Amino acid sequence: MSTTTPTAETAPSFGLGIGRSVRLGFSRIKLEVRSYFRQGDSVFFTFLFPVVMLTIFAVAFSEQNFGTEEEPLTAAAFYLPGMIAAGLLLSGLQNMAIDIAMERSDGTLKRLAGTPLPVMSYFIGKIGQVFTTGVLQATLVILVASLAFDVELPSEPSKWVTFAWVFVLGVTTSAVLGIALSGLPRSGKSATAVVIPVALVLQFISGVYLGFSMLPEWLQNFASIFPLKWMAQGMREVFLPASFEVMEQSESWNLPGVAIATGLWLVIGLIVTRITFRWIRKDS
Amino acid sequence: MNTTAPVVQVENLRKTYGSFAAVDSVSFEIQRGETFALLGPNGAGKSTTIEILEGYRDRTGGSVKVLGVDPGKGGLNWKARLGIVLQSSGESGNVSVREQLTHFAGYYPNPRNVDEVIASVGLEAKAGTLIRKLSGGQRRRVDVALGIIGSPELLFLDEPTTGFDPEARQQFWQLIRSLKADGTTILLTTHYLDEAAQLGDRAGVIAGGKMIDIGAIDEIGGEEARIPLVRWRDANGKHEERTHTPGAVVASLMAAGAEPAGLEIVRPSLEDIYLQLVSDHAHAREVENAR
């Protein structure tokens, strides 16, 4: 047969390598971040939420002392680490899970599936968006705490090193878990109903809204299965006075535990995403 | 060397959902540079067929080659040679027309010029507008622009002009003609038979999952279906006569006496022929089911 059927093999390849995936990934980040801030509801519910909650707690409990007689602590200082951890969960898990479920049902993913965009670039775009918005969100929460509520920020560089790795690990884990979770809702509309309660329950049992030491031991143990408890614990090490350490489980900040538990969830999220992520549900 | 291998080859394509056959042994080929119109009523299997060709759906049986590749196994290099305009979607559209097109252009090895594409779909005045703020017809034009931004060898157009006003449709036809002139192969589904007649080289008519006719636009439905019709009314009611010599029929009516009422000589349009084909098919099915 003399026909020269054009095939993928004979067609000129245009660099399917990692370089192209990364370049398009950064192009996606730009588009995703732009799109995020133009979407009014996500800015309110995920971006500003921790600042709003911090403000409410700081104002509502402004008369209370969360520390001791000798070492008083304001509500704003007490809630700051929890709000930063909640921000990681909201910007990552909640935002991603809802966003991707929406994109699956509104046709965005179907359109992308028909283009030569690598899945990897799409993920880079999503994680980059979470990272960018997460950094801005944490900065805003810390600035508001410091400027509006006089929270004293740590001065030791070692604390900020801890902050940096807990933040990066936390935000990445949270984003990846969000991508993994996005396959669960059957439609974009049900995504909010499925994801928000999960995120809310986690926040209540992980020491975000309620002091973790106030919870019964069995609930503390249960919460320890999930990553948010560990992210919040890492943030408490950074922002709370050393005297609070004895109130933790095992009376220690247990930073290695924070790294291991969060890292484990990152691996689980990556595996689930690798196995389950599809641009579209075929034949639905 | 022979470079005339078909761009699309479909043989005995079958897609079943349980016991329901959405597509039932459909076969056709599209040659390089050809515009093929896939016609049929809603639910006939057009979109299922086109989505199998685009790689969105798996097939139950038969063989499919698109640009020489099985769409079920098409990789990124293969997708880079396609342009896909899906049926309308409801994306959030928080980026402007130009941002979206510039971004998508980056996916392809040889993209078209973004501003030229925006101009070709008539959205120059809206280039800086957020997509969500556009009207339905304007969003549809963005879909078309995204489909052609990568200079595809094969363009899928699934009901591309739904929601267009007549002027926009004329403009769109002009655009498609220029793509055809550049050698783009096009697979078009449409509800507008005049559109298929304007743009298509060949057409296939699908009904009930089966290809009931296929051929050049000016041959589909057969010779018989194109014979002019003479219609008139008299005291006995309505009359209709198919004839190669309509003038003679009219002359004989005149010779018989009075001016006939409601006299018409009709050359069946593609739409008439299509409607006849589909209703014949539906009728044949009913007879079959009644047995």
Side-chain angles (χ1 to χ4, degrees), chain A residues 8 13 56 97 130 167 197 230:
Chain A
S13 171
I56 291 173
V130 170
F167 181 87
W230 298 97

Side-chain angles (χ1 to χ4, degrees), chain B residues 80-130:
Chain B
R81 301 162 67 198
L82 303 178
I84 298 178
V85 178
L86 297 160
Q87 287 191 24
S88 57
S89 58
E91 294 152 272
S92 51
N94 284 314
V95 290
S96 74
V97 174
R98 182 177 286 116
E99 283 167 355
Q100 179 88 331
L101 281 162
T102 306
H103 175 74
F104 273 71
Y107 296 177
Y108 296 90
N110 307 303
R112 270 171 223 274
N113 178 286
V114 169
D115 287 311
E116 277 172 33
V117 170
I118 291 174
S120 73
V121 296
L123 285 175
E124 299 101 317
K126 298 284 178 185
T129 307
L130 294 189

Side-chain angles (χ1 to χ4, degrees), chain A residues 117-128:
Chain A
L117 178 76
V119 179
M120 185 51 69
S121 308
Y122 176 75
F123 288 159
I124 292 174
K126 287 294 179 200
I127 293 171

Side-chain angles (χ1 to χ4, degrees), chain A residues 2 4-6 14 16 20 24 27-28 34-35 38-39 106 108 110-111 113-117 280 282-283, chain B residues 2 15 51 56 58 67-68 76-77 79-81 90-91 94-95 99 103 106-108 130 132 143 146:
Chain A
S2 67
T4 53
T5 309
F14 60 106
L16 290 182
R20 179 172 177 274
L24 289 180
S27 173
R28 293 285 317 163
R34 254 183 205 160
S35 183
R38 286 177 188 163
Q39 181 109 32
D106 72 15
T108 306
K110 189 169 185 182
R111 190 196 296 285
T115 72
L117 178 76
I280 53 166
K282 281 195 178 178
D283 303 325
Chain B
N2 180 359
K15 176 71 186 179
E51 291 201 344
Y56 284 122
D58 297 325
L67 295 168
L76 297 181
N77 272 328
K79 288 183 188 173
R81 301 162 67 198
E91 294 152 272
N94 284 314
V95 290
E99 283 167 355
H103 175 74
Y107 296 177
Y108 296 90
L130 294 189
R132 73 170 133 91
D143 291 339
L146 288 170

